Amino acid sequence: MTKLPALLALSICFPACASLPGAAQDSIALPHPLKMPAYSVQFVAGDPPRLRIERAGEPVFIVPLVATLDSDTQREHLSQIHAEHRQDAHGGFEISVTAASDVWKNRRFVWKLLPDHIEFQQFATGQGRLGRCYFLSSGVSNRWDNGSTPGHLWDTTVYADRYFSPSPNHANQFEFNIAMPQTLGFSYERYPSSEEDFRPERLTGLFAPPPLFLAFHMGHAWTGIGIGTEPGRYQFPALEYTGSRYAGASFYVDYMGYVAIDGEFASPALSIHFGTDPIETLTHYTQWLDRKGFSTKAVNSDVLWHHLPIFCGWAEQTVESVPNGIAPNTLSTQENYETWLAALEKRDLPIGTVVIDDKWQSRYGTFEIDQAKWPDLKAFVAAQHAKGRHVLLWVPLAHPEGLPSDLCVMAQGKCVVANVGAPEYEAYLRPRIRHLVDEVGIDGFKEDWVDAPAVPGLSLAGSAFGIEFVRRFQWILWSEAHKWKPDAMVETQTPNALFRESSDLIRLNDIWYATRDVPDILRTRAAIAHASGWSLVDTDNASSTTLRDWWSYMQAQPSIGIPALYFVTRTESTQESPSDGQWADLARIWKDYVQSLHRSSPSHPAGPQRGSQ
């Protein structure tokens, strides 16, 4: 029989335990780090005990073994921390920790040190409504003092020099100094408070939500931190990273009082993954989500028309409206789209999908056609079908405009958002989606303006709070469209593995006016979507930058995803028009792309339906 090292065969009571009333008086020094193929860990005695996580002999993080769980009215404080450890049958290593709490009856924490990754989860027994749930921390430090934490031993010490975020922003910045905070999900604070306060690196939401994950750089390696839980329990708006401050860094989610417990609560699990670059590390995290059942599964239908080049009229709407002081959404008319498509037909562009953008509706929330702007949408769709094209409608998520008050979330006497979790709202919306798909002939939807309520105290129905709010709306939209057209296409901006069940492809989203080296930026966005489980991406094309940058991107699009065009006459910001030669070259590029689709996949059946929630 193989003799286990002393490190793995003993129970641990750190020196900190000896100073607590009633704690065991013995302590064990651990002379050697625990070495795994991708990382090593050392136990650091103290109050609280901590783990030192290393790559290639250098520390990346030092993290406490415990983290706090606040109620919606009270911050938690922990004491009497005791830890034990054991080796599992697969060479992994588990640490079980208990602590006394001034908020909850019982508290325990579980660490799993596995050959290729680390997991952490916390548990609480008691009654009450949840506030912030911290990971690797116990509060938020301020810039110059401990803030709400007991001190740096209770938070994450970050030795990494920078981190990668999979949440695109208008500065096209993916890597950040470790002091810079990050919101992975929904928060009103991610928007500038005024035009004067505008900073493009803070304008996020292009992926909404992105993966709940960050990758930290140290030396020649990347170490990722992400969270996951069972579908239905993503009842928080975002994973927040505070940035590294005076007393260290914090990670947390905020339930804002919307989730109540009566018994045992299991937090989302946190995982730490290792890779040689951010995308590889993100891929490991995604694979972990799938193994744990923290994602949803898509049965992707490989339909030819989903791959075909896209024309969306949004940029042409802005080109023709903004210089004249007109709202762009007033130009989403049947006459305009027929004129623009006729111009593109003369250029011999093989368009496969037409996206009718903002605003074909009479009111955003009702899904009713504006008859003044679109006098015969059904005939328009039929005409496109006759030319081998398909038509998508742009829709905002859960918009309240036009909804009766009993289908709304009310705040200060105003309808602020549709009450997505209410059965009455679903009963209202589904027949309207059916009408557009089954009777008008629409082939799917492009989802936009994706956001979720991120403030406490709203009268939200059911369990649709936080990320689950967005998931619920998207599922209604996707499932009803596919009920009436099995090969329908719903494109979204939600490259988070929770949303695979209700998304046929990911749109790479807007390109801000100041963007340069566009192909590289959009390749990174596509890599994030691919790593999260989407093989099909719409390259998008709004808002175009200079003519030179636009043209470099148009040539690169087929190597990135589905080619897309958003204007007919000129770029939005520089008002430059492509030459006849560029239009001819674009037609050739698109035709070559379409021919390559036929060569690689001569048959694209509609395929099976996806599973329900």
Side-chain angles (χ1 to χ4, degrees):
M1 183 176 72
T2 302
K3 184 176 180 181
L4 295 177
L7 173 65
L8 304 180
L10 299 172
S11 159
I12 305 169
C13 183
F14 295 92
C17 298
S19 65
L20 297 172
Q25 297 301 309
D26 58 325
S27 63
I28 298 170
L30 302 173
H32 301 294
L34 174 67
K35 292 186 177 180
M36 292 294 187
Y39 68 96
S40 61
V41 168
Q42 293 190 40
F43 296 96
V44 181
D47 184 10
R50 299 182 292 163
L51 296 180
R52 177 185 171 107
I53 301 170
E54 297 183 348
R55 305 286 306 275
E58 294 290 332
V60 182
F61 308 115
I62 299 180
V63 299
L65 284 181
V66 296
T68 51
L69 175 67
D70 296 344
S71 75
D72 62 336
T73 59
Q74 185 178 353
R75 291 175 178 163
E76 183 185 38
H77 299 89
L78 299 171
S79 60
Q80 301 183 46
I81 300 166
H82 181 82
E84 295 181 348
H85 68 289
R86 64 179 181 83
Q87 187 178 29
D88 65 27
H90 305 289
F93 187 70
E94 183 173 303
I95 304 172
S96 298
V97 187
T98 58
S101 167
D102 61 352
V103 175
W104 312 106
K105 293 180 180 178
N106 297 296
R107 294 288 273 120
R108 64 186 180 93
F109 312 83
V110 176
W111 287 85
K112 295 181 180 180
L113 310 179
L114 302 167
D116 62 344
H117 72 285
I118 298 171
E119 294 180 12
F120 166 78
Q121 191 170 18
Q122 59 167 304
F123 303 85
T125 303
Q127 294 179 322
R129 292 194 168 273
L130 297 177
R132 287 182 175 178
C133 175
Y134 290 94
F135 303 91
L136 315 180
S137 52
S138 294
V140 175
S141 74
N142 293 331
R143 285 191 299 164
W144 306 113
D145 58 43
N146 288 339
S148 64
T149 79
H152 80 275
L153 298 180
W154 293 80
D155 301 308
T156 297
T157 299
V158 180
Y159 287 91
D161 55 25
R162 63 185 188 273
Y163 70 88
F164 170 91
S165 169
S167 181
N169 53 64
H170 279 299
N172 302 306
Q173 182 176 351
F174 290 99
E175 294 188 12
F176 298 83
N177 181 282
I178 62 168
M180 298 179 72
Q182 192 77 203
T183 296
L184 299 161
F186 307 104
S187 169
Y188 291 125
E189 294 180 358
R190 62 190 169 94
Y191 296 109
S193 58
S194 67
E195 285 295 316
E196 292 75 16
D197 190 38
F198 174 67
R199 280 173 274 173
E201 73 276 6
R202 294 194 306 163
L203 187 56
T204 59
L206 300 177
F207 285 171
L212 307 182
F213 167 91
L214 298 173
F216 290 80
H217 177 266
M218 187 75 183
H220 299 289
W222 292 81
T223 303
I225 292 178
I227 64 168
T229 189
E230 294 81 6
R233 298 188 61 214
Y234 286 83
Q235 295 169 295
F236 43 83
L239 172 63
E240 302 274 2
Y241 168 67
T242 63
S244 184
R245 302 181 178 186
Y246 174 83
S250 298
F251 302 83
Y252 67 86
V253 299
D254 196 341
Y255 291 97
M256 297 184 181
Y258 288 105
V259 175
I261 63 170
D262 184 6
E264 184 171 75
F265 166 76
S267 77
L270 177 139
S271 61
I272 301 176
H273 296 272
F274 308 95
T276 58
D277 62 61
I279 299 301
E280 180 189 49
T281 311
L282 173 60
T283 300
H284 294 328
Y285 162 72
T286 302
Q287 292 168 344
W288 172 78
L289 291 174
D290 293 341
R291 291 195 305 270
K292 301 288 287 188
F294 294 160
S295 59
T296 61
K297 186 177 181 180
V299 181
N300 288 311
S301 301
D302 191 13
V303 183
L304 176 59
W305 78 263
H306 287 193
H307 297 250
L308 295 176
I310 296 169
F311 169 69
C312 173
W314 173 249
E316 191 63 25
Q317 292 175 222
T318 65
V319 161
E320 297 191 11
S321 63
V322 174
N324 298 311
I326 302 170
N329 65 10
T330 62
L331 299 188
S332 178
T333 69
Q334 184 169 341
E335 181 181 6
N336 281 339
Y337 272 78
E338 289 172 343
T339 299
W340 298 334
L341 286 166
L344 297 177
E345 288 170 3
K346 290 181 180 178
R347 294 172 187 155
D348 204 21
L349 285 167
I351 296 164
T353 298
V354 178
V355 180
I356 300 172
D357 216 285
D358 177 18
K359 180 186 185 185
W360 57 271
Q361 309 96 321
S362 58
R363 293 170 294 179
Y364 287 122
T366 65
F367 280 54
E368 295 172 344
I369 301 165
D370 186 333
Q371 298 292 337
K373 294 160 81 174
W374 288 87
D376 199 342
L377 180 57
K378 185 174 182 177
F380 175 88
V381 172
Q384 302 309 309
H385 287 172
K387 296 177 181 181
R389 299 174 187 151
H390 293 74
V391 180
L392 306 186
L393 294 179
W394 174 94
V395 292
L397 187 139
H399 203 284
E401 185 185 29
L403 294 181
S405 60
D406 59 345
L407 300 181
C408 288
V409 176
M410 305 297 292
Q412 298 179 342
K414 296 182 179 180
C415 177
V416 294
V417 72
N419 204 349
V420 167
E424 296 82 2
Y425 176 73
E426 181 175 357
Y428 172 89
L429 188 58
R430 282 190 179 273
R432 294 162 185 266
I433 298 170
R434 175 186 177 177
H435 169 69
L436 292 170
V437 175
D438 189 39
E439 298 175 16
V440 177
I442 291 300
D443 301 293
F445 298 93
K446 171 188 171 181
E447 183 184 69
D448 199 2
W449 295 1
V450 179
D451 211 338
V455 294
L458 299 175
S459 55
L460 297 167
S463 59
F465 169 69
I467 292 172
E468 294 291 347
F469 181 93
V470 175
R471 179 174 172 242
R472 187 64 199 163
F473 177 90
Q474 190 165 300
W475 171 252
I476 295 171
L477 182 69
W478 187 95
S479 61
E480 192 65 25
H482 281 259
K483 180 178 180 180
W484 303 104
K485 279 193 179 177
D487 70 337
M489 183 166 72
V490 174
E491 68 167 305
T492 74
Q493 57 195 64
T494 55
N496 178 299
L498 179 67
F499 289 82
R500 292 191 198 129
E501 65 184 358
S502 58
S503 172
D504 295 297
L505 76 161
I506 294 297
R507 54 179 294 239
L508 299 185
N509 218 295
D510 293 352
I511 307 163
W512 193 46
Y513 308 110
T515 304
R516 301 298 181 262
D517 51 333
V518 180
D520 287 344
I521 297 298
L522 275 292
R523 285 188 200 280
T524 301
R525 294 189 194 177
I528 293 167
H530 295 329
S532 301
W534 276 263
S535 59
L536 198 58
V537 297
D538 169 7
T539 56
D540 219 308
N541 207 288
S543 297
S544 58
T545 57
T546 67
L547 180 62
R548 181 192 62 190
D549 290 295
W550 171 82
W551 181 235
S552 71
Y553 185 45
M554 298 307 292
Q555 295 175 86
Q557 279 184 344
S559 67
I560 299 173
I562 303 167
L565 175 67
Y566 270 56
F567 69 82
V568 176
T569 57
R570 57 195 181 276
T571 61
E572 292 170 85
S573 59
T574 58
Q575 301 286 298
E576 298 172 275
S577 296
S579 67
D580 291 341
Q582 286 174 318
W583 285 120
D585 285 344
L586 183 60
R588 177 186 52 79
I589 291 169
W590 280 22
K591 288 176 182 177
D592 289 346
Y593 167 80
V594 172
Q595 289 174 3
S596 71
L597 293 177
H598 288 285
R599 286 194 300 267
S600 61
S601 301
S603 176
H604 287 72
Q609 285 274 32
R610 302 184 182 197
S612 62
Q613 283 184 313

